[in-house]
Amino acid sequence: MFSKKTYTIRRQQLKTQVGNGLILLLGNEESGMNYRDNVYPFRQDSSFLYFFGLDVPGIHAVIDIDNDREVVFGNELTLDDIVWTGPKEPLADKAAQAGITEVKPLNALEGYLANAVNSGREVHFLPPYRAEHSLQLQEWLHIAPAEASARASVTFIKAIVSLRSYKSEEEVAELEKAVNTSVDMHLEFMRSTRPGMTEREVAGRLQSMAIGRGGDVSYPIILTVNGEILHTHTRDLAMQEGQLGLCDAGAETAMHYCGDLTRTIPVGKHFTTLQKEMYQIVLDAQEAAIAACKPGVLFRDVHALASVKLLEGLKQLGVVKGDPAEAVDQDVHTLFFQCGLGHMMGLDVHDMENLGEQYVGYSDELKKGTAFGWKSLRLGRALEPGFVLTVEPGLYLIPTLIDRWKAGKKHADFIDYEKLESLRDFTGIRIEDNLLITETGHRILGKHLPKTIAEIEALR
Amino acid sequence: MFSKKTYTIRRQQLKTQVGNGLILLLGNEESGMNYRDNVYPFRQDSSFLYFFGLDVPGIHAVIDIDNDREVVFGNELTLDDIVWTGPKEPLADKAAQAGITEVKPLNALEGYLANAVNSGREVHFLPPYRAEHSLQLQEWLHIAPAEASARASVTFIKAIVSLRSYKSEEEVAELEKAVNTSVDMHLEFMRSTRPGMTEREVAGRLQSMAIGRGGDVSYPIILTVNGEILHTHTRDLAMQEGQLGLCDAGAETAMHYCGDLTRTIPVGKHFTTLQKEMYQIVLDAQEAAIAACKPGVLFRDVHALASVKLLEGLKQLGVVKGDPAEAVDQDVHTLFFQCGLGHMMGLDVHDMENLGEQYVGYSDELKKGTAFGWKSLRLGRALEPGFVLTVEPGLYLIPTLIDRWKAGKKHADFIDYEKLESLRDFTGIRIEDNLLITETGHRILGKHLPKTIAEIEALR
């Protein structure tokens, strides 16, 4: 936990911004896998951690702005519990460390909320992302599950975004710790991957490093020789000489700050000539994008810049024709780069994604795009000092998508479909680093993680 | 997956046993950790796997006994999905491998169920253990979440128990595979644990082995120098020379059959004299219990036998007085052995625990106990060929419990509380193996895993 002062100030700022009413912040519950008591590793809600620091399942919190009360609702262990779970620090003591002096039993929450509702006060809550929260909102506030997201408090959401978007020094230190563990995981990936190993064998090893450092992975590891499948979670293949291995993996610290890095390496000792050419295109795009990151710049424009760089490279290869900038204006790049350049990072690897991407990554003036490619860009707004984000361009050759575009002769003036056939089974490359936006520009977080072709081959 | 015939026969047997009405079997959903798209590793419901073999999130099944229809409800991937997730075998093809020819889109399920309800037919469903299931039962069958468990179909539950309790040859082979991976994890634990390592460092390494073999752990690994804390999930301590390290860890195969083993070792190279004495007591109790396992024997009696053996050993140490069998009759053993001797094991590590322990581990004639100790015995019924179960006695010195008993002078005629003080901080020991009940007795599943003092010290 951070200091009592940190949490107290955060809640004070939240109260000031929300103004009035009662804030209900639901903590997460234990989640059963195949029966109630066989639980997944507990993950507390990130906003709950941000304002209360209590990494304990089954507790909730109320910030009663009108009456200036902050109450944590949860049950202390009984003597019977202690027999099974061992002695633990009482909830009241833990809460005191976050500056909370009022702790009530869980069953007092329903009445507290009912009183507020009955006196016509507004109860601010967040859109639920766990079914348990939907059931609780239904039981305690009589909100139908289908309506809960729409009735969530936009004032509350915006207040959280306005606080959590700016990382304090102590948060940056914690994020850097997460990135450093992630760097070590990737060094292990680069050093130990050999032809014949399965994807999951290496992924398991990396996950054990995150666990060993006191946390866990911040998202399911993507480790694949099919890097073009952006959302792949299967890791069953044996990796073969000549293939590319893409690893997108990050650690979470014990305090739940996240890292998120990607590297793409040859499964054998060397990249092939084509792999080198393609890799260099992505690396050039990534370095140009990173160089452009500074306060005031729209990240949407950095995404466009990276997309132009990718098409410039593909033009050198003869796959793309015409003016790259004009091609990006017409969304030609989305055949090769279907996703976004990056996203905010913090207590969530996609920071605050549960609050809504429009609120986190855009603004009242800047709306998230809806076209293919652009709709996957989670962050578009102007960068500000204190933002922490990923920069992760890639080239992805997706046969299904190529076939569809080719059949429709889509953008045939910009794409040489005949040349493109030779890249059809190339798979994918992504290179990703984590940046802090500073007053004057940016800083790449964490220890250096090799990313040039020479550096990578030296580790293989 | 097993063969089409296997699943077809299982469903046929289920239909015969349930008799009439409509069986609704809800599959599991992806579970978001800190936002919807950052998901825990997917775990399908075990009964769904048993009858349909489909390890896919977001699908459900109906067995319409009255109309002799078996329908899987789920959506095929769209072209857009394929761009993100890669080409996948269509659901209809996968379902065909389980002998299911009727696959309908997910949104057809609600109407199908409404038709059945409107025509007054019974809809059999299971008690929900995931909040998503509570929401679905509410939406589709208008069952209030608080009532869902009570309204679950006992006929359906009993039918499942009568099938899943008896493991077929192919299931035993798969369970043995899980146990063998678990054995390898424990060999690694025994070989690599060293003073100074943290509990989580070793636990992470073992988990990576389960992942590398194509599955994952079958439950969160317990790896602790505080073996007396039965439900501990914290693993933050550095292990020290002189301590005991208890590891309760099991692997799940890719088909989700489980292993569940425990060993207790010295953190240094050797057990202390007292540790040896205590360890031998537990080992003697475990071997006596295993020897007693055969068809027709009540597992409740095996639990009592192991408890007597434990007290006999403690009597040798001078901690217990009087007749051990009489002491067990008076529940004296529950001061040292608070939990159950074992449980059924299969597609769940506590097999079918979501269906209710009374149905799985007991019978209409034999009710689960309610007293301390006995209420934690998950399995009491007579053993039958085909049962797979754990045998896991232990000795746990729980200071909180000792203090409570001592203060109340509980069973002072059987316990020498003064002598007991010397064991107050001993921590705990458990030894656990997995057994198949055969026609004539039992067979310990998997490769040999060292458990004598000499064998263990030889590996340190």
Side-chain angles (χ1 to χ4, degrees), chain B residues 66-79:
Chain B
D66 309 325
N67 297 302
D68 201 18
R69 285 172 72 180
E70 301 175 327
V71 192
V72 165
F73 293 85
N75 296 331
E76 296 289 357
L77 289 187
T78 63
L79 258 176

Side-chain angles (χ1 to χ4, degrees), chain B residues 148-159:
Chain B
S149 286
R151 289 180 59 184
S153 165
V154 173
T155 308
F156 185 20
I157 290 172
K158 287 186 167 179

Side-chain angles (χ1 to χ4, degrees), chain A residues 34 40-41 84 130 231 348, chain B residues 33-34 40-41 84 130 231 348:
Chain A
N34 45 342
Y40 284 116
W84 296 100
R130 287 196 178 197
H231 289 180
D348 305 300
Chain B
M33 293 186 277
N34 46 342
Y40 284 117
W84 297 100
R130 286 196 179 198
H231 289 180
D348 305 301

Side-chain angles (χ1 to χ4, degrees), chain A residues 348-416:
Chain A
D348 305 300
V349 61
H350 291 176
D351 211 25
M352 302 172 275
E353 184 162 305
N354 63 309
L355 302 181
E357 289 177 351
Q358 172 61 38
Y359 298 116
V360 178
Y362 292 82
S363 64
D364 287 349
E365 296 72 39
L366 187 72
K367 298 290 171 197
K368 187 158 173 258
T370 53
F372 182 74
W374 291 100
K375 74 179 171 190
S376 301
L377 179 61
R378 294 189 165 86
L379 178 61
R381 64 193 279 201
L383 300 178
E384 297 183 55
F387 283 14
V388 169
L389 52 114
T390 68
V391 177
E392 46 176 316
L395 282 176
Y396 311 102
L397 282 297
I398 303 173
T400 309
L401 191 63
I402 294 173
D403 289 344
R404 208 194 303 181
W405 281 43
K406 191 178 179 181
K409 295 196 174 71
K410 200 168 167 181
H411 296 305
D413 42 341
F414 285 110
I415 298 165
D416 186 330

Side-chain angles (χ1 to χ4, degrees), chain B residues 128-375:
Chain B
Y129 58 92
R130 286 196 179 198
E132 291 82 0
H133 288 175
S134 296
L135 288 172
Q136 287 157 345
L137 292 172
Q138 174 175 262
E139 191 180 340
W140 296 334
L141 294 173
H142 310 292
I143 290 167
E147 290 168 20
S149 286
R151 289 180 59 184
S153 165
V154 173
T155 308
F156 185 20
I157 290 172
K158 287 186 167 179
I160 293 180
V161 171
S162 79
L163 294 169
R164 285 181 55 190
S165 295
Y166 306 91
K167 272 63 181 180
S168 67
E169 264 182 50
E170 59 192 353
E171 287 187 285
V172 170
E174 196 64 30
L175 282 161
E176 195 133 31
K177 197 195 285 183
V179 176
N180 279 334
T181 298
S182 310
V183 166
D184 289 339
M185 290 161 65
H186 280 269
L187 286 172
E188 173 69 16
F189 164 65
M190 290 178 175
R191 286 185 179 129
S192 70
T193 298
R194 292 287 174 273
M197 287 181 175
T198 60
E199 299 162 338
R200 63 165 56 246
E201 191 179 339
V202 182
R205 197 181 298 191
L206 306 192
Q207 181 161 3
S208 77
M209 295 175 69
I211 294 172
R213 301 284 180 92
D216 207 323
V217 290
S218 51
Y219 53 95
I221 292 175
I222 296 173
L223 200 153
T224 179
V225 292
N226 291 125
E228 83 285 4
I229 307 179
L230 290 156
H231 289 180
T232 190
H233 285 154
T234 52
R235 303 186 293 228
D236 295 325
L237 298 175
M239 298 183 279
Q240 292 168 21
E241 179 74 43
Q243 292 181 320
L244 289 171
L246 182 153
C247 176
D248 187 342
E252 205 170 280
T253 64
M255 286 187 73
H256 302 292
Y257 283 86
C258 300
D260 180 359
L261 300 172
T262 305
R263 287 294 185 269
T264 308
I265 66 168
V267 171
K269 290 203 170 299
H270 302 283
F271 289 99
T272 66
T273 305
L274 177 62
Q275 286 168 352
K276 276 187 192 171
E277 288 169 341
M278 294 285 277
Y279 188 91
Q280 194 61 47
I281 293 171
V282 179
L283 183 57
D284 290 346
Q286 203 231 12
E287 290 185 334
I290 289 176
C293 287
K294 62 181 179 186
V297 171
L298 287 180
F299 197 68
R300 192 182 59 177
D301 293 343
V302 185
H303 175 84
L305 170 70
S307 303
V308 171
K309 289 283 168 190
L310 292 171
L311 291 192
E312 280 174 5
L314 291 173
K315 190 177 173 185
Q316 296 288 324
L317 282 187
V319 172
V320 164
K321 305 177 285 188
D323 178 51
E326 199 187 315
V328 168
D329 277 344
Q330 298 195 31
D331 294 349
V332 173
H333 62 288
T334 64
L335 177 57
F336 310 100
F337 180 40
Q338 302 80 9
C339 56
L341 180 68
H343 51 80
M344 296 278 234
M345 199 180 86
L347 277 164
D348 305 301
V349 61
H350 292 175
D351 211 25
M352 303 172 275
E353 184 161 305
N354 63 308
L355 302 180
E357 289 178 352
Q358 173 61 37
Y359 298 117
V360 177
Y362 292 81
S363 65
D364 287 348
E365 296 72 38
L366 187 71
K367 298 290 172 199
K368 188 158 175 259
T370 53
F372 182 73
W374 291 100
K375 72 180 173 189

